[in-house]
C-alpha cells in the first residue's frame, strides 16, 4: 500500500507539473529583492502576472524552503499551501482571466545563490547559478524550462557595490547608503537563466556594429588584465551576429567574473557569469584565456536562451550549437588550422569514449558533457559539409525565427535543414545523432580535407624514425613539432630551442632529463613569455642541476604565474625543499604557502596549495583547519578532494584527533 501511495503521489505531482503549462500562462515577474548578509538570507516581494488558459482550482510556483510572509491574489488574501518545494494557491480560476499574484518571502538558499567572501577574506560577492532547476531556491519561479516569462528585478544593496542582472538598467536611486538598481528584461526567458551578480567592479564598455551595448566587468585591481581577458569580444560578437544570421535577441550583453564559480561560465540571458580564474594578463593569454568560454557563452544567447531545448534528450541543441559556433568564432580570430585542430582534439576525446565503452547517443539525456558539447559540434560540422554552407545557414535562420523565445526538439532543426537542402537526413540522424559510437571513420575523412591535419598525421616518429631529426627543425606546425618532441625528447638539440614559443613549451614539458649539452639552452626557457613553460622549466632544472638551484630560484623569485599562482606555489615548494636557501625566510615561505590554502583564495589556488603541502608532508593546525573548511565548500569537486584528503589523513593517529576536533568545532 505504501508503494502504491508513493507511486500515486509521484504520478500526481508530475501530472500537475506538466498540466500547469496547459492551464496557466505566466507572462511577467516583477521582483524586489534585498539581502541580510549576516544571515545569508534573501528577502523578496514578487509580483507574478498570469493568464488562465483552462479552468483550474490551483496555480503553483516552485519555491524551495521559503518562508512566506504574505500571499495575495489581486491584492486580496488567498488560500495557499507551502509544502517546502512549491507554493500552491487555491481559487476558482476561469478561462480568460488575468491575475497578479504577490508573495513576500524570506529564504536562506542552500544552492543557486551564494554569499561569497562575507565571512572570510575572499572578495565580497553574491552571485547566482540557476542552470538545471535551481533558481527556485532563491526566487519563487517555475523550474520547467518550457515556461518562459519576462523577468524584471529591482535590487537594493550597499552603494559600495555594483549590482548586475538580466536586461537593461532602467534606473538607480541612492537612499541612506543603499542603491536601488532597477533592471528590465524586454523578452521572456526560462527561470534558470535569471541572474544576479553583486560585487566590487569596474567595467569596459563597447558597442557592437549593430548597436548592442557591450559591458565587460572586472575587479578594480585587475585594470591591466581587462583587455587581455576580454580580447576579441567585440570581434566575436559581430562575427556571430553575421554568421548566425539573426540579430542578437536581447537589449545588451554583459560579462561578469565571479570568485569560486562552479563552472567555467554560464549563459544567463544577456548576462554571462564566468570564473575569475579566466581573468588573465597578456602572458597568461598565450596558454590559458577566456576566448573559447567567451564565444561559447555568447553563442548560447541564441542557442539555449533564445530557443531552449524542451527536454534533456535535446540538450545538444544548446551545448552542441554553442560549442560549434564558438569554434567558428575562434576560426575567425585564430584561423582555419586552429579550427581543424580543435575538431581533431574533440574527435580524439570521442574516440576515447568509443574505446572505453562509454559512448552514448547524442539524443541520450544522460550523455556526458563530451558527447553533448563535442559530438554535438561535430554533428553540425558534418551536417554543414553534407548539405552545404548556404542551405545550412538558411536552415539555422529559419529555425531561430520559427521558434523564437520558445522551446524546441531535434526534429524542429532537422526538418528546417531538410527543407532548405532538399535532402532526406534520416541516415545522417541515424549516424551522427542516434548511433551510440562516434563515427570516427567519417570524422577522419572530413579532417583529412585539411592539409594541416594531413601533415600532423604524417609526422610520426613512432612510424618513420628515419625522418625524426629532420622533423625537429623542419618548418612544420607547432602541433606537429610538439608531437615529435613528445615522442623523441632525447633527440632534442640546441637548434630546436630556436623554434616558436609553443615548440619551446613542448621542450619544457617533455625533456625532463636534461643533458649538459642542453643546459644553457634549457635555462633560457625561464625567460619565455609563457607561465606554463617557466613552471615546467623551473622544476626540471631544479631536479637536474642541484648545484644551481639557488640561481634558478633567484631568477624566478618575483614570478606569480596564472591565477592559480602556479609558478609562485612551485617556487615556494622548491625554496622550502632547498636546504640552504634563504634560511632566515623559510618560515615566511611556509606561511605563504599555507596561506594559499585559506578561503581567501579561489579553490583553484587552494587545490594547488594543498597538493604541494601534501607532497611536503606539512599538516599543521592551520592546514588542517583550512582542509576541514574546504570539505564543506559548495563546489562538489573541491569538496570531494578535501574530504578524500581528510579521510586519508584520519588514518594516521597523529592527525585523527585534531581532524575530529576541528570537524566538531565547525
Amino acid at each position: 500500500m505504501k508503494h502504491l501511495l508513493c507511486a500515486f503521489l509521484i504520478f500526481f505531482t508530475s501530472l500537475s507539473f506538466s498540466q500547469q503549462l496547459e492551464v496557466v500562462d505566466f507572462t511577467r515577474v516583477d521582483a524586489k529583492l534585498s539581502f541580510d548578509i549576516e544571515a545569508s538570507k534573501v528577502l523578496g516581494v514578487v509580483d507574478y502576472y498570469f493568464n488562465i488558459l483552462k479552468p483550474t482550482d490551483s496555480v503553483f510556483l516552485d519555491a524551495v524552503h521559503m518562508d512566506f510572509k504574505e500571499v495575495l491574489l489581486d491584492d486580496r488574501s488567498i488560500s495557499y499551501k507551502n509544502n517546502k518545494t512549491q507554493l500552491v494557491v487555491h481559487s476558482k480560476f476561469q478561462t480568460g482571466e488575468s491575475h497578479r499574484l504577490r508573495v513576500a518571502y524570506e529564504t536562506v538558499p542552500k544552492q543557486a545563490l551564494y554569499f561569497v567572501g562575507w565571512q572570510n577574506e575572499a572578495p565580497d560577492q553574491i552571485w547566482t547559478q540557476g542552470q538545471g532547476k535551481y533558481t527556485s531556491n532563491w526566487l519563487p519561479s517555475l523550474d520547467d524550462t518550457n515556461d518562459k516569462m519576462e523577468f524584471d528585478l529591482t535590487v537594493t544593496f550597499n552603494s559600495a557595490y555594483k549590482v548586475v542582472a538580466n536586461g537593461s538598467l532602467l534606473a538607480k536611486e541612492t537612499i541612506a547608503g543603499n542603491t536601488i538598481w532597477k533592471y528590465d528584461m524586454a523578452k521572456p526567458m526560462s527561470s534558470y537563466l535569471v541572474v544576479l551578480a553583486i560585487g566590487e567592479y569596474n567595467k569596459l564598455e563597447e558597442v557592437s556594429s549593430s548597436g548592442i551595448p557591450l559591458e565587460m566587468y572586472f575587479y578594480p585591481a585587475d585594470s591591466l588584465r581587462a583587455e587581455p581577458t576580454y580580447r576579441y569580444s567585440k570581434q566575436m560578437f559581430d562575427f556571430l551576429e553575421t554568421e548566425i544570421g539573426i540579430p542578437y535577441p536581447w537589449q545588451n550583453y554583459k560579462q561578469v567574473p565571479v570568485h569560486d564559480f562552479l563552472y567555467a561560465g554560464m549563459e544567463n540571458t544577456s548576462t554571462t557569469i564566468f570564473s575569475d580564474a579566466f581573468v588573465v594578463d597578456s602572458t597568461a593569454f598565450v596558454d590559458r584565456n577566456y576566448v573559447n568560454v567567451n564565444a561559447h557563452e555568447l553563442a548560447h544567447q541564441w542557442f539555449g536562451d533564445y530557443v531552449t531545448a524542451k527536454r534533456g534528450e535535446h540538450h545538444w541543441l544548446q551545448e552542441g550549437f554553442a560549442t560549434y559556433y564558438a569554434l567558428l568564432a575562434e576560426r575567425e580570430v585564430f584561423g582555419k588550422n586552429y579550427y581543424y585542430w580543435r575538431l581533431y582534439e574533440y574527435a580524439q576525446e570521442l574516440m576515447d569514449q568509443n574505446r572505453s565503452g562509454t559512448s552514448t547517443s547524442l539524443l541520450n539525456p544522460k550523455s556526458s558533457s563530451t558527447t553533448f558539447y563535442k559530438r554535438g559540434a561535430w554533428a553540425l560540422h558534418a551536417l554543414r559539409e553534407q548539405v552545404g554552407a548556404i542551405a545550412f545557414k538558411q536552415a539555422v535562420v529559419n529555425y531561430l525565427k520559427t521558434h523564437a523565445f520558445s522551446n524546441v526538439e531535434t526534429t524542429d532543426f532537422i526538418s528546417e535543414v531538410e527543407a532548405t537542402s532538399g535532402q532526406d537526413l534520416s541516415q545522417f540522424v541515424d549516424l551522427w545523432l542516434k548511433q551510440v559510437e562516434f563515427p570516427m571513420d567519417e570524422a577522419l575523412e572530413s579532417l583529412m580535407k585539411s592539409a594541416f591535419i594531413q601533415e600532423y598525421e604524417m609526422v610520426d616518429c613512432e612510424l618513420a624514425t628515419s625522418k625524426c631529426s629532420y622533423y625537429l627543425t623542419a618548418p612544420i606546425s607547432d602541433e606537429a613539432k610538439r608531437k615529435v618532441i613528445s615522442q623523441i625528447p632525447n633527440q632534442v638539440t640546441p637548434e630546436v630551442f630556436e623554434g616558436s614559443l609553443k615548440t619551446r613549451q613542448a621542450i619544457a614539458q617533455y625533456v625532463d632529463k636534461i643533458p649538459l649539452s642542453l643546459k644553457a639552452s634549457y635555462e633560457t626557457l625561464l625567460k619565455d613569455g609563457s607561465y606554463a613553460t617557466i613552471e615546467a622549466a623551473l622544476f626540471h632544472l631544479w631536479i637536474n642541476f642541484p648545484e644551481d638551484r639557488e640561481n634558478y630560484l633567484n631568477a624566478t623569485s618575483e614570478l606569480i604565474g596564472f591565477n592559480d599562482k602556479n609558478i609562485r606555489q612551485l617556487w615556494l615548494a622548491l625554496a622550502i625543499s632547498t636546504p640552504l636557501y634563504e634560511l632566515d625566510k623559510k618560515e615566511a615561505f611556509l606561511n605563504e604557502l599555507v596561506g594559499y590554502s585559506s578561503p581567501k583564495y579561489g579553490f583553484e589556488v587552494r587545490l594547488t596549495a594543498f597538493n604541494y603541502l601534501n607532497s611536503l608532508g606539512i599538516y599543521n593546525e592551520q592546514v588542517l583547519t583550512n582542509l576541514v573548511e574546504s570539505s564543506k565548500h559548495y563546489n562538489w569537486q573541491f569538496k570531494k578532494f578535501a574530504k578524500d584528503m581528510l579521510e586519508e589523513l584520519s588514518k594516521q593517529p597523529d592527525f585523527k584527533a585534531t581532524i575530529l576536533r576541528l570537524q566538531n568545532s565547525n
Side-chain angles (χ1 to χ4, degrees), residues 221-410:
D222 286 334
S223 59
L224 296 179
R225 296 182 172 194
E227 186 282 323
T229 298
Y230 291 112
R231 192 172 292 171
Y232 306 122
S233 289
K234 180 182 181 300
Q235 179 182 348
M236 293 192 298
F237 189 101
D238 292 339
F239 168 79
L240 284 177
E241 273 205 309
T242 301
E243 175 64 30
I244 293 170
I246 294 289
Y248 176 76
W250 315 105
Q251 299 119 291
N252 56 16
Y253 186 55
K254 303 178 287 293
Q255 298 180 81
V256 189
V258 298
H259 185 76
D260 263 359
F261 194 51
L262 296 169
Y263 308 104
M266 177 61 200
E267 68 279 6
N268 310 290
T269 308
S270 80
T271 306
T272 284
I273 282 183
F274 66 97
S275 168
D276 61 11
F278 287 102
V279 177
V280 297
D281 60 23
S282 293
T283 301
F285 183 91
V286 173
D287 299 315
R288 302 180 190 176
N289 57 60
Y290 175 56
V291 174
N292 180 264
V293 176
N294 187 341
H296 182 98
E297 308 308 338
L298 175 57
H300 267 310
Q301 298 298 317
W302 288 268
F303 305 104
D305 297 9
Y306 189 48
V307 294
T308 309
K310 287 183 179 178
R311 296 180 300 280
E313 61 263 39
H314 309 295
H315 189 53
W316 81 280
L317 293 174
Q318 297 178 183
E319 298 302 347
F321 271 76
T323 304
Y324 175 66
Y325 277 93
L327 276 185
L328 295 181
E330 287 186 291
R331 183 178 68 182
E332 174 73 7
V333 172
F334 300 123
K336 186 181 294 186
N337 288 349
Y338 178 91
Y339 172 80
Y340 275 103
W341 176 246
R342 295 292 286 170
L343 282 176
Y344 183 88
E345 289 182 316
Y346 291 176
Q348 296 306 311
E349 288 185 56
L350 292 161
M351 271 303 294
D352 286 343
Q353 286 193 157
N354 283 359
R355 285 187 283 267
S356 65
T358 58
S359 293
T360 52
S361 162
L362 197 51
L363 301 181
N364 183 337
K366 296 182 179 180
S367 288
S368 67
S369 294
T370 297
T371 298
F372 282 133
Y373 287 60
K374 296 171 182 178
R375 183 168 176 173
W378 252 107
L380 292 171
H381 169 81
L383 181 59
R384 187 173 187 147
E385 285 196 334
Q386 178 172 323
V387 303
I390 295 175
F392 180 88
K393 291 180 69 172
Q394 187 57 55
V396 170
V397 169
N398 295 347
Y399 164 71
L400 291 173
K401 282 184 176 180
T402 301
H403 303 285
F405 306 108
S406 63
N407 297 78
V408 289
E409 298 180 351
T410 297

Side-chain angles (χ1 to χ4, degrees), residues 151 347 382:
F151 285 85

Side-chain angles (χ1 to χ4, degrees), residues 29-74:
V29 181
D30 188 357
K32 296 177 176 61
L33 305 170
S34 59
F35 303 90
D36 181 338
I37 297 299
E38 290 188 6
S40 298
K41 182 182 292 186
V42 181
L43 304 93
V45 177
V46 191
D47 290 327
Y48 301 85
Y49 298 85
F50 61 94
N51 302 317
I52 302 299
L53 306 179
K54 294 180 181 179
T56 184
D57 60 3
S58 64
V59 170
F60 73 80
L61 295 169
D62 294 301
V64 180
H65 295 295
M66 293 186 178
D67 179 14
F68 290 97
K69 303 299 183 182
E70 184 178 56
V71 179
L72 302 175
L73 182 68
D74 302 323

